Amino acid sequence: MIFIHFLCAVISLLATGIVADRTTYRLPDSTFPVHYTLRIEMNPDLGSASNYSGSVAIIVNVHYPTDAIVLHADASLEIEQIVIWNVANSEPINIQSVEREAATQFLKIYTDRTMNQIEQYVLGIDFNGYLLRGGNQGFFLNSYQNEFEEDFYAVTAFEPTHARKAFPCYDEPMFKATFDVEIVCGRDYSVHSNAEPVDVELMGEDKQLVRFERTPPMASYLIAFMISKFDEEVREFDGLRLGMITRPDEDRSGDLEFAFQATRFAVDALQSYTGQRYSFLKLDQVAIDGFNGGLENWGLILYATDLLIVDPAADSWERVDSALLITHEVAHQFFGNLVGLPWWEHLWMKEGFATFMSYKLSLQFLPDARDLIKQQFYNDIWDAMYFDSGPTTYPMSHYVESPEAIGALYQKHIVYSKAAGIIRMMENAVGSDVLEAAVQNYIINHRFGTANPYKLYLSLDKFVGYQLPPGVHVGEIFHSWAAQAGHPIIHVERIGESDRYRLTQHPFGSCDCEGSRWWIPIFYTSYDVGERFAGWMPDTTDTVTVVMGGFLPLVNNRWQGFFRVSYSQQGWNEILNNWNSIDGDSRAKLIDDAFGLLWNLENTTEPLIEMLARLKTENDPLPWMAAMADHNLWKLVQLVKGRSNVESNVLQLARNLTRDMLSIFRDDMRGGSIAARRTALLWEERIHLIDNGRVEKSELHCPQMLSSQQLTELRCKAQPLVEMLNSVDVAMCFGGPEEYRQFLDNLLRNFKCPEVWNVILILLEKEIPFVDSFLQSLIDELSDMQNSVDPEPLEDFLKGATFFIYKPEHQQLYQKFVDSLEVISEVQRSNVKDLLDVQRNRVAGIIQALQEANRSM
Ligand SMILES: *[C@@H]1O[C@H](CO)[C@@H](O)[C@H](O)[C@H]1NC(C)=O
Ligand SMILES: *[C@@H]1O[C@H](CO)[C@@H](O)[C@H](O)[C@H]1NC(C)=O
Ligand SMILES: *[C@@H]1O[C@H](CO)[C@@H](O)[C@H](O)[C@H]1NC(C)=O
Ligand SMILES: [Zn+2]
């Protein structure tokens, strides 16, 4: 699954514990499903009512003697009848009692005798359900207007915990079983599911029964079916039928060409990379209006319409977005579907690999768009590093249980971008052929089953050799990155005039990772010897001495590893003296690191200002985009607001950079410069906003966000809003105080919904105009409703917010408010105050550094 990409950071509090896992949400493992026969019966006319009925017969193996079968069934399912019988002798087993648990969504069926390991049972359940309307999760009903009337279609999107809303099942990824899916519906609909249809039987006057081939063993979240009047275009490639399923009301034949080619390319490349054939005889892909990104249902992938259907005249940016998404979802057919997860804790395995493969494959598929794809990748990495150095980050492997907390794990920076960055770092260190061989070994060992990351590490151990220090296992190395939050910074210091360097590691930023150390691969480049690997820095030591040959060794060039680097004064000087002989990717990395270091008071103001001055003649988009990123220059502009002694200088710097960037990119029509041009134009508007108080609200930026419908629908469904906020320049969206006031009211009215916390943090991070009154209202509101808010998530929110409060008067206001809160404990209060102190010192330190730099300029 993937949410649509956006440039800016999203904060996820949920995953850091906003939903306290007090209950055990895990099913017992005493019984296992091995096969489901699932029948779903729809009304002959889908639009007539939302109800459907169904039955499921699950063949169950018993692992430990038990008198209970526990599985999932959402409260919205009406259970009509439950029967259990013994497969061997067809004897019915009496049911003693049935319990349903709302919090865990468990359906507990107690039998009057103990069921034994040697026996197999069939659990049969008849149920009624309701299609959800106006959403895109679970089993939902949508419609569109055709020439004459409104046409309805019903489709499923179960990942990660929504299958239980459609039918009773063991809705955890570990419980893989084969499925026979059968759908009864009106005759004028077409029906799709994961596998091929095997036969169609007419029923009654107006119904049909469509039966599908048996699936391979699979997790419930990957089951999918769709009942619609959509068109289907099918092409056969190498024995595989590729189908594109789209709304019938438009002629889109030419527009499907791109998706067919991208899919075919992805399937071929993945079969060859993994050494496995794709598991079904067909792969259907569906375009759904209003869908969010893509969803990798095995054999029946769903996409947002405009990401699957690409106009032949589309610019390279749109092609890149579409190719990245299609390759990501096709990669899941192997990573996640074929080899699954034992639990959501290691979600990064499937999302990280799908993301890593999507960049690899898109680069091969669209060689002309190389620069854009590379920029998108680096963009993801630097956003991820920024998030991962903040107080709300968490480890890639992150154990949670409740459905809400699992849903919140699907957040871009850690399980997608950071995980892809760590996999790429390992590939850079051990070699792409070693990684590929290990992946093949891992998949062949675990296909149709599940495997945790340690199984991958074992496979890697089989193929690595000299790339690792003797006696060290891949697991130790990978574990230091996957199990710890945050990432390191390495300080590089030359020893005398020798080619020996002292490297020191420590955790970077404000992550909650004091004392952590990592196994760090030391990549470097120097201009006389080229790219080299200097070996590993172990996670047991702070300091190592390494030999790096050549002149001006630059460590972690091209972001090969997921860590930051700082140099001594002499090192920075040498870098600046040789600036033009450094490659563009590394120049971007140096600028991003220097900003990151400034933010963490590592005294890089002077080299940073010098690097920014060099941009005047920079033609490569990447260093520009690093400098002008929201977490870099824009953040600095926010930070100095109201500090008259440095504000004017920083603003002038921003004006100058915007002017220079525009002069370089405004008329640059090279494909790789699209993003830089957009960034330059965005900054032009921002500078205009700063200089003139307000801009005309741009239709381009905030069409839907402030619509009254959006505001009414906000309620607890804040995810789309989170995404919208990330795709627009919030500072420009609010034309005036009136709209803004309305927006805020609505937001705060829904404060109890966990997602709303995210929205507020994003607003703070993105620096809304009217920030003074925003903070004041927020504080008033929170004080009033403190008793109805769970104190644990409240603390996380309060900690996260300190990170985005720059002005002394805001910090004071905030401090007072934290002091006055009655519902948090003294420990919690002092945790928040500590972070506020850190932030105060940080801002003061940066201002002082800027003042010193000013004087010396
Ligand atoms: C929907 O509900 C109606 C009224 O209870 C019932 O007659 C009909 O059979 C139900 N439809 C399905 C598909 O179960
Ligand atoms: C930062 O580095 C400069 C030299 O570039 C030095 O003069 C200054 O004292 C340093 N400041 C701190 C706080 O270390
Ligand atoms: C901005 O540019 C002007 C003229 O090009 C220059 O005089 C000034 O020093 C620059 N200011 C900053 C802060 O970069
Ligand atoms: Zn995904």
Side-chain angles (χ1 to χ4, degrees), residues 356-595:
F356 168 77
M357 292 307 297
S358 76
Y359 280 103
K360 204 186 226 340
L361 300 186
S362 297
L363 281 170
Q364 295 164 8
F365 177 60
L366 296 174
D368 294 344
R370 206 190 128 65
D371 288 345
L372 263 187
I373 296 168
K374 196 180 72 178
Q375 287 164 20
Q376 176 96 21
F377 178 76
Y378 286 136
N379 219 9
D380 286 356
I381 292 291
W382 72 52
D383 283 351
M385 290 190 100
Y386 176 70
F387 176 84
D388 195 37
S389 65
T392 52
T393 191
Y394 48 91
M396 275 159 52
S397 287
H398 190 56
Y399 187 85
V400 292
E401 285 196 351
S402 70
E404 291 83 357
I406 293 165
L409 282 181
Y410 288 81
Q411 190 268 7
K412 189 174 173 204
H413 299 311
I414 300 300
V415 302
Y416 292 78
S417 304
K418 181 179 178 183
I422 301 301
I423 295 166
R424 174 172 170 271
M425 175 171 78
M426 289 305 288
E427 182 188 44
N428 289 333
V430 302
S432 52
D433 46 343
V434 169
L435 181 67
E436 186 172 337
V439 163
Q440 294 197 358
N441 181 267
Y442 160 81
I443 292 189
I444 210 157
N445 289 342
H446 305 288
R447 58 186 173 174
F448 303 114
T450 62
N452 64 30
Y454 305 100
K455 301 289 199 277
L456 174 71
Y457 308 157
L458 288 178
S459 293
L460 269 160
D461 271 331
K462 289 203 172 95
F463 297 92
V464 289
Y466 66 92
Q467 299 94 337
L468 296 194
V472 173
H473 295 285
V474 173
E476 295 172 54
I477 293 175
F478 234 116
H479 192 72
S480 73
W481 297 92
Q484 303 189 96
H487 56 269
I489 175 168
I490 287 197
H491 184 73
V492 180
E493 184 118 43
R494 191 171 182 183
I495 301 176
E497 294 296 300
S498 69
D499 58 1
R500 293 165 64 239
Y501 291 78
R502 186 177 304 111
L503 306 188
T504 314
Q505 65 159 304
H506 57 94
F508 182 71
S510 334
C511 65
D512 193 6
C513 53
E514 217 174 301
S516 298
R517 293 200 199 93
W518 289 262
W519 273 98
I520 307 172
I522 309 299
F523 306 104
Y524 73 97
T525 182
S526 71
Y527 297 96
D528 30 355
V529 299
E531 289 197 2
R532 286 280 194 277
F533 182 50
W536 293 88
M537 177 160 190
D539 70 350
T540 45
T541 170
D542 292 337
T543 304
V544 289
T545 304
V546 297
V547 173
M548 292 192 283
F551 178 66
L552 181 67
L554 197 62
V555 174
N556 197 14
N557 58 307
R558 299 192 294 111
W559 263 287
Q560 291 190 75
F562 198 86
F563 57 93
R564 296 204 182 266
V565 182
S566 73
Y567 297 89
S568 62
Q569 201 58 48
Q570 185 202 356
W572 287 115
N573 288 342
E574 279 179 28
I575 286 167
L576 285 162
N577 292 338
N578 295 281
W579 189 247
N580 292 327
S581 52
I582 297 173
D583 62 281
D585 296 9
S586 299
R587 289 199 298 271
K589 160 94 166 111
L590 285 162
I591 291 173
D592 191 59
D593 275 358
F595 264 114

Side-chain angles (χ1 to χ4, degrees), residues 41-43 51-53:
E41 179 157 355
M42 313 297 292
N43 290 308
N51 66 327
Y52 65 94
S53 54

Side-chain angles (χ1 to χ4, degrees), residues 255-268:
D255 302 355
L256 292 172
E257 193 59 39
F258 183 80
F260 271 120
Q261 285 180 13
T263 309
R264 184 190 178 175
F265 181 90
V267 171
D268 278 348

Side-chain angles (χ1 to χ4, degrees), residues 494-728:
R494 191 171 182 183
I495 301 176
E497 294 296 300
S498 69
D499 58 1
R500 293 165 64 239
Y501 291 78
R502 186 177 304 111
L503 306 188
T504 314
Q505 65 159 304
H506 57 94
F508 182 71
S510 334
C511 65
D512 193 6
C513 53
E514 217 174 301
S516 298
R517 293 200 199 93
W518 289 262
W519 273 98
I520 307 172
I522 309 299
F523 306 104
Y524 73 97
T525 182
S526 71
Y527 297 96
D528 30 355
V529 299
E531 289 197 2
R532 286 280 194 277
F533 182 50
W536 293 88
M537 177 160 190
D539 70 350
T540 45
T541 170
D542 292 337
T543 304
V544 289
T545 304
V546 297
V547 173
M548 292 192 283
F551 178 66
L552 181 67
L554 197 62
V555 174
N556 197 14
N557 58 307
R558 299 192 294 111
W559 263 287
Q560 291 190 75
F562 198 86
F563 57 93
R564 296 204 182 266
V565 182
S566 73
Y567 297 89
S568 62
Q569 201 58 48
Q570 185 202 356
W572 287 115
N573 288 342
E574 279 179 28
I575 286 167
L576 285 162
N577 292 338
N578 295 281
W579 189 247
N580 292 327
S581 52
I582 297 173
D583 62 281
D585 296 9
S586 299
R587 289 199 298 271
K589 160 94 166 111
L590 285 162
I591 291 173
D592 191 59
D593 275 358
F595 264 114
L597 290 162
L598 172 70
W599 184 236
N600 287 285
L601 302 183
E602 302 237 6
N603 196 15
T604 45
T605 332
E606 287 183 20
L608 175 62
I609 287 174
E610 190 52 41
M611 286 182 221
L612 294 178
R614 305 287 171 93
L615 286 172
K616 208 173 174 53
T617 53
E618 179 67 72
N619 287 314
D620 188 327
L622 201 62
W624 272 109
M625 288 167 64
M628 308 301 269
D630 279 5
H631 61 275
N632 289 336
L633 188 65
W634 185 236
K635 190 174 179 93
L636 195 61
V637 167
Q638 303 313 325
L639 195 136
V640 300
K641 257 195 199 154
R643 315 297 181 102
S644 53
N645 48 356
V646 284
E647 183 179 17
S648 58
N649 237 293
V650 171
L651 281 183
Q652 193 52 43
L653 177 68
R655 282 190 203 98
N656 287 4
L657 285 170
T658 303
R659 178 197 64 204
D660 296 343
M661 191 178 189
L662 278 166
S663 80
I664 295 169
F665 294 105
R666 196 196 285 279
D667 303 317
D668 179 353
M669 292 301 159
R670 287 175 302 165
S673 303
I674 298 180
R677 196 160 61 242
R678 277 199 204 178
T679 305
L681 293 171
L682 179 73
W683 270 91
E684 184 180 37
E685 283 187 64
R686 280 177 170 171
I687 295 291
H688 188 80
L689 176 70
I690 290 167
D691 289 344
N692 300 297
R694 66 174 278 171
V695 285
E696 288 315 306
K697 189 162 52 106
S698 159
E699 292 303 314
L700 188 77
H701 287 103
C702 3
Q704 312 152 308
M705 199 170 94
L706 298 169
S707 75
S708 48
Q709 194 202 355
Q710 172 67 35
L711 290 172
T712 344
E713 281 175 4
L714 173 64
R715 311 292 329 155
C716 285
K717 296 199 175 71
Q719 190 60 35
L721 185 63
V722 168
E723 277 147 21
M724 263 185 253
L725 284 169
N726 276 299
S727 69
V728 300

Side-chain angles (χ1 to χ4, degrees), residues 150-185:
E150 193 174 19
D151 259 345
F152 287 84
Y153 63 98
V155 62
T156 60
F158 291 157
E159 185 174 356
T161 56
H162 306 295
R164 66 191 71 170
K165 293 181 179 161
F167 64 98
C169 55
Y170 290 73
D171 199 12
E172 291 186 2
M174 177 179 73
F175 294 105
K176 284 191 160 190
T178 53
F179 280 78
D180 290 342
V181 175
E182 307 177 351
I183 307 281
V184 177
C185 67

